[in-house]
Amino acid sequence: MGTLKERREIRLNGQTMARGRHGVARIPVLTDLDGCEIELVIHAVVGARPGPVLALHTGLHGSEWQAVEISRRIVESLDPAEMSGAVLALPVANPIALASRTRNLRDESDSPDLNRSFGGEQTWIADQLGRAIVSELYANADAVIDFHSGLWGAAMGSVTCGRDFSDASVSERGYRMARAFGLPHIRRSDFVTKFPGPKSSVGHAGQVLGIPGIISEIGGVGFDPTLEEEWAMTTVRGVRGVMQELGILAGAPPVADRILVFDTVRRVNPSNGGFIEPIFPAADLMSREVRPDELLGRVWSPYTFEVTEELRSPVRGLVDMVPREYPARPGDWAYLVVDLDSPGNRSLGPNDLP
Ligand SMILES: [Zn+2]
């Protein structure tokens, strides 16, 4: 990745972070009405040698707190002595939304969703948090990984990169990062020309700042602990693969022999509220192919106990999101199914580019 600069130093909140150490920087952002000072806390694991900088953030959505634990595992797995360059990790990108354990900020603003507010110019909380992430984290970064997950009780199974950045090299570098995660499938979609466009974190980083990035959405909480541990390990290994791709860690990333690059995912969510009874097992996430019309789950009324809806796969596909049994409101997340017959799909070898 020849375009990466070898950075001499990393500055956070005006302070230079020491080489060969794990430092923590606190970035003051704003004071809320209740008098609370809102700050961002960034972990800087700075390698013994100079090199590229990978920025990670988790918890842009406050209800997707499972990824904060992933952030902790990644930071604790790093040894600065083995690193050329640095990892900057922001575990709680949206402290106010985490406190209410809601996806969005519960203010009366035009931009309650931080991951739809990058580039915002107002003084709404999300706009200010987004600006602080850009001016502190992205200002130091050569690449970005943004982590999401389902709500408690939903699990997801893939990484995503963008294909429509104005600078095609940003799309290519994003694909190389996604490939280095080591999974046999990659979602490749439109980060600029489709909703939410460059107002998302990775969309803004790529389109406005020219910094490549990927979204990691693997695993969830509320499932079999063994399965949850596998998902966490997959993610930590994947991030280390991206660090190898960037040259922060030595060695070649564990690229899969055959990679399905897919572009279309169909939502299969309830139209009415009810309890979801899962039928497709969480352990088969992104591994077992489902038939068109295959029954994935049912929705039943918590009042009458009757089944009110069947959730069926609209396509031949791989299931990219599964719920455990939980109560859902209309439109809430249940299943995502990768359309295996989309004409935009590609089957690539380990050295191919889409
Ligand atoms: Zn999210």
mmCIF file of all heavy atoms in Angstrom, residues 25-61:
data_model
loop_
_atom_site.group_PDB
_atom_site.id
_atom_site.type_symbol
_atom_site.label_atom_id
_atom_site.label_comp_id
_atom_site.label_asym_id
_atom_site.label_seq_id
_atom_site.Cartn_x
_atom_site.Cartn_y
_atom_site.Cartn_z
ATOM 1 N N ALA A 25 -5.679 9.134 25.486
ATOM 2 C CA ALA A 25 -5.909 10.579 25.365
ATOM 3 C C ALA A 25 -7.382 10.867 25.575
ATOM 4 O O ALA A 25 -8.245 10.123 25.111
ATOM 5 C CB ALA A 25 -5.467 11.064 23.987
ATOM 6 N N ARG A 26 -7.673 11.930 26.267
ATOM 7 C CA ARG A 26 -9.062 12.342 26.496
ATOM 8 C C ARG A 26 -9.302 13.619 25.706
ATOM 9 O O ARG A 26 -8.558 14.584 25.841
ATOM 10 C CB ARG A 26 -9.305 12.560 27.985
ATOM 11 C CG ARG A 26 -8.833 11.387 28.835
ATOM 12 C CD ARG A 26 -9.137 11.599 30.304
ATOM 13 N NE ARG A 26 -10.491 11.181 30.609
ATOM 14 C CZ ARG A 26 -10.824 9.987 31.117
ATOM 15 N NH1 ARG A 26 -9.893 9.110 31.391
ATOM 16 N NH2 ARG A 26 -12.072 9.680 31.344
ATOM 17 N N ILE A 27 -10.342 13.584 24.875
ATOM 18 C CA ILE A 27 -10.635 14.702 23.982
ATOM 19 C C ILE A 27 -11.922 15.385 24.458
ATOM 20 O O ILE A 27 -13.018 14.819 24.292
ATOM 21 C CB ILE A 27 -10.869 14.205 22.530
ATOM 22 C CG1 ILE A 27 -9.817 13.174 22.104
ATOM 23 C CG2 ILE A 27 -10.989 15.372 21.562
ATOM 24 C CD1 ILE A 27 -8.426 13.703 21.978
ATOM 25 N N PRO A 28 -11.859 16.568 25.042
ATOM 26 C CA PRO A 28 -13.096 17.230 25.448
ATOM 27 C C PRO A 28 -13.910 17.643 24.225
ATOM 28 O O PRO A 28 -13.344 18.137 23.244
ATOM 29 C CB PRO A 28 -12.619 18.481 26.213
ATOM 30 C CG PRO A 28 -11.138 18.488 26.152
ATOM 31 C CD PRO A 28 -10.657 17.377 25.271
ATOM 32 N N VAL A 29 -15.230 17.423 24.252
ATOM 33 C CA VAL A 29 -16.062 17.759 23.090
ATOM 34 C C VAL A 29 -17.076 18.858 23.419
ATOM 35 O O VAL A 29 -17.158 19.862 22.730
ATOM 36 C CB VAL A 29 -16.803 16.517 22.545
ATOM 37 C CG1 VAL A 29 -17.624 16.868 21.307
ATOM 38 C CG2 VAL A 29 -15.808 15.410 22.209
ATOM 39 N N LEU A 30 -17.869 18.667 24.484
ATOM 40 C CA LEU A 30 -18.917 19.647 24.784
ATOM 41 C C LEU A 30 -19.400 19.446 26.224
ATOM 42 O O LEU A 30 -19.079 18.455 26.869
ATOM 43 C CB LEU A 30 -20.089 19.504 23.801
ATOM 44 C CG LEU A 30 -20.735 18.122 23.673
ATOM 45 C CD1 LEU A 30 -21.825 17.884 24.722
ATOM 46 C CD2 LEU A 30 -21.357 17.964 22.298
ATOM 47 N N THR A 31 -20.169 20.419 26.716
ATOM 48 C CA THR A 31 -20.845 20.297 28.011
ATOM 49 C C THR A 31 -22.340 20.178 27.758
ATOM 50 O O THR A 31 -22.924 21.004 27.055
ATOM 51 C CB THR A 31 -20.592 21.550 28.876
ATOM 52 O OG1 THR A 31 -19.187 21.773 28.967
ATOM 53 C CG2 THR A 31 -21.174 21.365 30.272
ATOM 54 N N ASP A 32 -22.965 19.128 28.310
ATOM 55 C CA ASP A 32 -24.405 18.929 28.098
ATOM 56 C C ASP A 32 -25.201 19.759 29.117
ATOM 57 O O ASP A 32 -24.639 20.349 30.044
ATOM 58 C CB ASP A 32 -24.736 17.436 28.216
ATOM 59 C CG ASP A 32 -25.994 17.052 27.431
ATOM 60 O OD1 ASP A 32 -26.763 17.968 27.049
ATOM 61 O OD2 ASP A 32 -26.205 15.856 27.218
ATOM 62 N N LEU A 33 -26.496 19.788 28.939
ATOM 63 C CA LEU A 33 -27.369 20.614 29.786
ATOM 64 C C LEU A 33 -27.299 20.214 31.262
ATOM 65 O O LEU A 33 -27.466 21.045 32.150
ATOM 66 C CB LEU A 33 -28.812 20.510 29.276
ATOM 67 C CG LEU A 33 -29.895 21.259 30.068
ATOM 68 C CD1 LEU A 33 -29.617 22.770 30.105
ATOM 69 C CD2 LEU A 33 -31.271 21.005 29.438
ATOM 70 N N ASP A 34 -27.066 18.937 31.515
ATOM 71 C CA ASP A 34 -26.991 18.485 32.913
ATOM 72 C C ASP A 34 -25.632 18.783 33.542
ATOM 73 O O ASP A 34 -25.352 18.367 34.660
ATOM 74 C CB ASP A 34 -27.300 16.992 33.007
ATOM 75 C CG ASP A 34 -26.377 16.142 32.152
ATOM 76 O OD1 ASP A 34 -25.402 16.682 31.569
ATOM 77 O OD2 ASP A 34 -26.627 14.926 32.047
ATOM 78 N N GLY A 35 -24.789 19.502 32.811
ATOM 79 C CA GLY A 35 -23.478 19.869 33.345
ATOM 80 C C GLY A 35 -22.401 18.846 33.057
ATOM 81 O O GLY A 35 -21.227 19.079 33.350
ATOM 82 N N CYS A 36 -22.776 17.687 32.481
ATOM 83 C CA CYS A 36 -21.771 16.651 32.200
ATOM 84 C C CYS A 36 -20.861 17.100 31.065
ATOM 85 O O CYS A 36 -21.327 17.596 30.037
ATOM 86 C CB CYS A 36 -22.442 15.341 31.807
ATOM 87 S SG CYS A 36 -23.117 14.480 33.216
ATOM 88 N N GLU A 37 -19.584 16.874 31.271
ATOM 89 C CA GLU A 37 -18.603 17.123 30.218
ATOM 90 C C GLU A 37 -18.544 15.864 29.365
ATOM 91 O O GLU A 37 -18.306 14.777 29.877
ATOM 92 C CB GLU A 37 -17.217 17.377 30.820
ATOM 93 C CG GLU A 37 -17.176 18.486 31.868
ATOM 94 C CD GLU A 37 -17.291 19.866 31.246
ATOM 95 O OE1 GLU A 37 -16.947 19.998 30.056
ATOM 96 O OE2 GLU A 37 -17.733 20.794 31.951
ATOM 97 N N ILE A 38 -18.762 16.029 28.071
ATOM 98 C CA ILE A 38 -18.690 14.876 27.159
ATOM 99 C C ILE A 38 -17.329 14.887 26.486
ATOM 100 O O ILE A 38 -16.914 15.897 25.898
ATOM 101 C CB ILE A 38 -19.815 14.945 26.120
ATOM 102 C CG1 ILE A 38 -21.183 14.941 26.809
ATOM 103 C CG2 ILE A 38 -19.692 13.792 25.133
ATOM 104 C CD1 ILE A 38 -21.463 13.741 27.693
ATOM 105 N N GLU A 39 -16.640 13.762 26.600
ATOM 106 C CA GLU A 39 -15.318 13.647 25.995
ATOM 107 C C GLU A 39 -15.216 12.327 25.255
ATOM 108 O O GLU A 39 -16.007 11.421 25.472
ATOM 109 C CB GLU A 39 -14.230 13.720 27.074
ATOM 110 C CG GLU A 39 -14.334 12.600 28.093
ATOM 111 C CD GLU A 39 -13.266 12.653 29.173
ATOM 112 O OE1 GLU A 39 -12.626 13.709 29.337
ATOM 113 O OE2 GLU A 39 -13.060 11.618 29.828
ATOM 114 N N LEU A 40 -14.249 12.254 24.356
ATOM 115 C CA LEU A 40 -13.922 11.003 23.685
ATOM 116 C C LEU A 40 -12.610 10.492 24.276
ATOM 117 O O LEU A 40 -11.671 11.270 24.455
ATOM 118 C CB LEU A 40 -13.779 11.214 22.180
ATOM 119 C CG LEU A 40 -15.040 11.691 21.449
ATOM 120 C CD1 LEU A 40 -14.746 11.918 19.964
ATOM 121 C CD2 LEU A 40 -16.193 10.695 21.625
ATOM 122 N N VAL A 41 -12.559 9.206 24.572
ATOM 123 C CA VAL A 41 -11.350 8.606 25.132
ATOM 124 C C VAL A 41 -10.739 7.710 24.049
ATOM 125 O O VAL A 41 -11.387 6.771 23.574
ATOM 126 C CB VAL A 41 -11.672 7.788 26.397
ATOM 127 C CG1 VAL A 41 -10.404 7.132 26.939
ATOM 128 C CG2 VAL A 41 -12.315 8.690 27.453
ATOM 129 N N ILE A 42 -9.534 8.056 23.634
ATOM 130 C CA ILE A 42 -8.873 7.333 22.536
ATOM 131 C C ILE A 42 -7.635 6.609 23.067
ATOM 132 O O ILE A 42 -6.790 7.217 23.734
ATOM 133 C CB ILE A 42 -8.461 8.306 21.402
ATOM 134 C CG1 ILE A 42 -9.707 8.978 20.815
ATOM 135 C CG2 ILE A 42 -7.673 7.572 20.321
ATOM 136 C CD1 ILE A 42 -9.397 10.004 19.717
ATOM 137 N N HIS A 43 -7.569 5.305 22.774
ATOM 138 C CA HIS A 43 -6.379 4.513 23.104
ATOM 139 C C HIS A 43 -5.422 4.602 21.924
ATOM 140 O O HIS A 43 -5.820 4.329 20.785
ATOM 141 C CB HIS A 43 -6.743 3.055 23.340
ATOM 142 C CG HIS A 43 -7.559 2.856 24.578
ATOM 143 N ND1 HIS A 43 -7.055 2.312 25.728
ATOM 144 C CD2 HIS A 43 -8.853 3.178 24.839
ATOM 145 C CE1 HIS A 43 -7.999 2.303 26.657
ATOM 146 N NE2 HIS A 43 -9.103 2.817 26.139
ATOM 147 N N ALA A 44 -4.181 4.949 22.207
ATOM 148 C CA ALA A 44 -3.165 5.025 21.162
ATOM 149 C C ALA A 44 -2.100 3.978 21.468
ATOM 150 O O ALA A 44 -1.328 4.139 22.423
ATOM 151 C CB ALA A 44 -2.558 6.423 21.126
ATOM 152 N N VAL A 45 -2.118 2.890 20.694
ATOM 153 C CA VAL A 45 -1.053 1.895 20.832
ATOM 154 C C VAL A 45 -0.057 2.209 19.728
ATOM 155 O O VAL A 45 -0.319 1.956 18.545
ATOM 156 C CB VAL A 45 -1.591 0.454 20.717
ATOM 157 C CG1 VAL A 45 -0.466 -0.539 20.990
ATOM 158 C CG2 VAL A 45 -2.759 0.233 21.674
ATOM 159 N N VAL A 46 1.041 2.830 20.112
ATOM 160 C CA VAL A 46 1.998 3.359 19.138
ATOM 161 C C VAL A 46 3.195 2.422 19.071
ATOM 162 O O VAL A 46 3.850 2.160 20.094
ATOM 163 C CB VAL A 46 2.452 4.786 19.525
ATOM 164 C CG1 VAL A 46 3.338 5.373 18.426
ATOM 165 C CG2 VAL A 46 1.244 5.689 19.772
ATOM 166 N N GLY A 47 3.442 1.881 17.884
ATOM 167 C CA GLY A 47 4.502 0.905 17.700
ATOM 168 C C GLY A 47 5.896 1.486 17.944
ATOM 169 O O GLY A 47 6.092 2.707 17.947
ATOM 170 N N ALA A 48 6.828 0.578 18.129
ATOM 171 C CA ALA A 48 8.207 0.987 18.362
ATOM 172 C C ALA A 48 8.794 1.656 17.120
ATOM 173 O O ALA A 48 9.702 2.474 17.229
ATOM 174 C CB ALA A 48 9.044 -0.240 18.749
ATOM 175 N N ARG A 49 8.275 1.305 15.936
ATOM 176 C CA ARG A 49 8.773 1.874 14.683
ATOM 177 C C ARG A 49 7.665 2.677 13.994
ATOM 178 O O ARG A 49 6.491 2.366 14.170
ATOM 179 C CB ARG A 49 9.249 0.744 13.755
ATOM 180 C CG ARG A 49 10.448 -0.029 14.317
ATOM 181 C CD ARG A 49 10.709 -1.304 13.549
ATOM 182 N NE ARG A 49 9.600 -2.248 13.617
ATOM 183 C CZ ARG A 49 9.361 -3.035 14.662
ATOM 184 N NH1 ARG A 49 10.150 -3.014 15.721
ATOM 185 N NH2 ARG A 49 8.319 -3.848 14.666
ATOM 186 N N PRO A 50 8.040 3.700 13.205
ATOM 187 C CA PRO A 50 7.009 4.467 12.500
ATOM 188 C C PRO A 50 6.340 3.624 11.408
ATOM 189 O O PRO A 50 6.905 2.622 10.964
ATOM 190 C CB PRO A 50 7.789 5.641 11.882
ATOM 191 C CG PRO A 50 9.207 5.193 11.826
ATOM 192 C CD PRO A 50 9.408 4.199 12.929
ATOM 193 N N GLY A 51 5.163 4.045 10.980
ATOM 194 C CA GLY A 51 4.437 3.300 9.950
ATOM 195 C C GLY A 51 3.010 3.792 9.883
ATOM 196 O O GLY A 51 2.665 4.821 10.456
ATOM 197 N N PRO A 52 2.144 3.052 9.177
ATOM 198 C CA PRO A 52 0.760 3.491 8.980
ATOM 199 C C PRO A 52 -0.054 3.466 10.283
ATOM 200 O O PRO A 52 0.295 2.755 11.220
ATOM 201 C CB PRO A 52 0.197 2.472 7.994
ATOM 202 C CG PRO A 52 1.343 1.673 7.522
ATOM 203 C CD PRO A 52 2.449 1.806 8.492
ATOM 204 N N VAL A 53 -1.136 4.205 10.255
ATOM 205 C CA VAL A 53 -1.992 4.307 11.443
ATOM 206 C C VAL A 53 -3.391 3.800 11.098
ATOM 207 O O VAL A 53 -4.029 4.291 10.157
ATOM 208 C CB VAL A 53 -2.062 5.765 11.937
ATOM 209 C CG1 VAL A 53 -3.000 5.873 13.144
ATOM 210 C CG2 VAL A 53 -0.662 6.273 12.296
ATOM 211 N N LEU A 54 -3.850 2.806 11.856
ATOM 212 C CA LEU A 54 -5.199 2.269 11.703
ATOM 213 C C LEU A 54 -6.073 2.818 12.822
ATOM 214 O O LEU A 54 -5.736 2.682 14.000
ATOM 215 C CB LEU A 54 -5.158 0.734 11.779
ATOM 216 C CG LEU A 54 -6.518 0.018 11.783
ATOM 217 C CD1 LEU A 54 -7.288 0.261 10.496
ATOM 218 C CD2 LEU A 54 -6.313 -1.489 12.008
ATOM 219 N N ALA A 55 -7.175 3.467 12.448
ATOM 220 C CA ALA A 55 -8.136 3.963 13.442
ATOM 221 C C ALA A 55 -9.315 3.006 13.531
ATOM 222 O O ALA A 55 -9.825 2.538 12.509
ATOM 223 C CB ALA A 55 -8.622 5.352 13.042
ATOM 224 N N LEU A 56 -9.732 2.694 14.748
ATOM 225 C CA LEU A 56 -10.896 1.831 14.992
ATOM 226 C C LEU A 56 -11.890 2.608 15.824
ATOM 227 O O LEU A 56 -11.491 3.293 16.753
ATOM 228 C CB LEU A 56 -10.503 0.603 15.825
ATOM 229 C CG LEU A 56 -9.257 -0.178 15.468
ATOM 230 C CD1 LEU A 56 -8.989 -1.225 16.550
ATOM 231 C CD2 LEU A 56 -9.461 -0.858 14.119
ATOM 232 N N HIS A 57 -13.172 2.502 15.473
ATOM 233 C CA HIS A 57 -14.145 3.004 16.439
ATOM 234 C C HIS A 57 -15.321 2.066 16.582
ATOM 235 O O HIS A 57 -15.784 1.459 15.624
ATOM 236 C CB HIS A 57 -14.598 4.440 16.176
ATOM 237 C CG HIS A 57 -14.926 4.792 14.764
ATOM 238 N ND1 HIS A 57 -15.985 4.256 14.090
ATOM 239 C CD2 HIS A 57 -14.323 5.667 13.917
ATOM 240 C CE1 HIS A 57 -16.024 4.799 12.884
ATOM 241 N NE2 HIS A 57 -15.032 5.638 12.741
ATOM 242 N N THR A 58 -15.763 1.929 17.832
ATOM 243 C CA THR A 58 -16.928 1.113 18.158
ATOM 244 C C THR A 58 -17.927 2.007 18.886
ATOM 245 O O THR A 58 -17.565 3.047 19.430
ATOM 246 C CB THR A 58 -16.528 -0.079 19.051
ATOM 247 O OG1 THR A 58 -15.792 0.375 20.182
ATOM 248 C CG2 THR A 58 -15.651 -1.046 18.292
ATOM 249 N N GLY A 59 -19.189 1.620 18.835
ATOM 250 C CA GLY A 59 -20.198 2.333 19.607
ATOM 251 C C GLY A 59 -20.636 3.662 19.018
ATOM 252 O O GLY A 59 -21.107 4.526 19.737
ATOM 253 N N LEU A 60 -20.547 3.828 17.708
ATOM 254 C CA LEU A 60 -21.198 4.999 17.087
ATOM 255 C C LEU A 60 -22.693 4.945 17.389
ATOM 256 O O LEU A 60 -23.342 5.970 17.559
ATOM 257 C CB LEU A 60 -21.006 4.996 15.566
ATOM 258 C CG LEU A 60 -19.689 5.460 14.963
ATOM 259 C CD1 LEU A 60 -19.746 5.341 13.445
ATOM 260 C CD2 LEU A 60 -19.358 6.887 15.354
ATOM 261 N N HIS A 61 -23.231 3.715 17.385
ATOM 262 C CA HIS A 61 -24.611 3.473 17.790
ATOM 263 C C HIS A 61 -24.598 2.907 19.207
ATOM 264 O O HIS A 61 -24.000 1.850 19.446
ATOM 265 C CB HIS A 61 -25.287 2.507 16.821
ATOM 266 C CG HIS A 61 -25.520 3.105 15.467
ATOM 267 N ND1 HIS A 61 -25.390 2.409 14.297
ATOM 268 C CD2 HIS A 61 -25.875 4.372 15.125
ATOM 269 C CE1 HIS A 61 -25.672 3.219 13.273
ATOM 270 N NE2 HIS A 61 -25.956 4.413 13.761
#
